[in-house]
Amino acid sequence: MSSEENKTKQEFVKKREDYVSWDDYFLGVSMLSAMRSKDPKTQVGACIVDADNRIVGVGYNGRARGISDDAITWGRDGDWIDTKYPYVVHAEANAILNSTRDLQGCRIYIALFPCNECAKLILQSGITEVLYVSDKYADQDLYKASRKMLEMAGTKLTQLVPKQKKITIDFDVING
């Protein structure tokens, strides 16, 4: 077979075009982390990424270490002390606490805009960009204070519109 015939038989294969963007990938990791939450109403995940697109921390909203998920109600109504709120660690806080390195200059991907307590942790940790999908609580004082703090500190705030509306994970594909 001549060299010319060999060239025509060897077709140049291009990369696929439907791969997941970095933003959708990291948002997807945060959403997958959220699926670990035992909260029946609100599941939030967070994914912290460095400048080289390496994941350096993940977390989800859940009970503090050592407190059983079944020990205290997951309810939202009644006296504050008898609700879930004083006992849940937010996804952003868990991601920061679970981080594997210094977070200076990193960015955090979350589904919901962070509350004021998480904003303080984000600022203290050195994270410089917050990428989020929903700001549905923007009219509440906790979130107004959060936005104000983050903006005052010069944190970049990016509301994401995912390129892909749905990402499916199929564990059977490995057997295909």
Side-chain angles (χ1 to χ4, degrees), residues 1-11:
M1 180 180 336
S2 73
S3 169
E4 192 65 35
E5 290 173 332
N6 194 24
K7 274 187 182 178
T8 58
K9 288 190 178 207
Q10 292 179 356
E11 182 181 328

Side-chain angles (χ1 to χ4, degrees), residues 116 137-147:
N116 69 312
Y137 301 117
D139 61 332
Q140 294 181 17
D141 287 344
L142 293 176
Y143 296 88
K144 288 178 184 177
S146 173
R147 181 173 295 280

Side-chain angles (χ1 to χ4, degrees), residues 15 19 21-23 38 56 65 75 82 93 100-101 107 120 127 141-142 147 153 155 160:
K15 70 178 181 187
Y19 59 90
S21 71
W22 282 119
D23 284 341
K38 313 307 183 306
V56 297
R65 189 181 309 261
D82 296 323
T100 59
R101 55 157 276 194
R107 57 195 192 276
K120 290 185 260 186
I127 292 171
D141 287 344
L142 293 176
R147 181 173 295 280
T155 305
L160 291 175

Side-chain angles (χ1 to χ4, degrees), residues 52-67:
D52 293 321
N53 287 329
R54 290 181 298 210
I55 295 172
V56 297
V58 291
Y60 57 89
N61 61 310
R63 297 277 191 239
R65 189 181 309 261
I67 299 175

Side-chain angles (χ1 to χ4, degrees), residues 90-105:
H90 287 190
E92 301 91 330
N94 271 323
I96 289 167
L97 291 167
N98 292 332
S99 65
T100 59
R101 55 157 276 194
D102 177 68
L103 301 179
Q104 192 65 43

Side-chain angles (χ1 to χ4, degrees), residues 64-129:
R65 189 181 309 261
I67 299 175
S68 168
D69 291 323
D70 300 316
I72 303 167
T73 183
W74 285 97
R76 304 185 312 179
D77 300 321
D79 292 335
W80 181 78
I81 196 74
D82 296 323
T83 67
K84 67 179 180 177
Y85 297 111
Y87 311 103
V88 171
V89 181
H90 287 190
E92 301 91 330
N94 271 323
I96 289 167
L97 291 167
N98 292 332
S99 65
T100 59
R101 55 157 276 194
D102 177 68
L103 301 179
Q104 192 65 43
C106 287
R107 57 195 192 276
I108 188 167
Y109 288 80
I110 45 181
L112 295 173
F113 193 84
C115 72
N116 69 312
E117 292 299 320
C118 290
K120 290 185 260 186
L121 294 173
I122 288 167
L123 292 173
Q124 286 299 99
S125 72
I127 292 171
T128 56
E129 184 174 7

Side-chain angles (χ1 to χ4, degrees), residues 21-40:
S21 71
W22 282 119
D23 284 341
D24 284 2
Y25 173 70
F26 296 129
L27 183 59
V29 169
S30 76
M31 300 299 288
L32 185 61
S33 296
M35 294 175 74
R36 286 282 310 140
S37 176
K38 313 307 183 306
D39 190 323

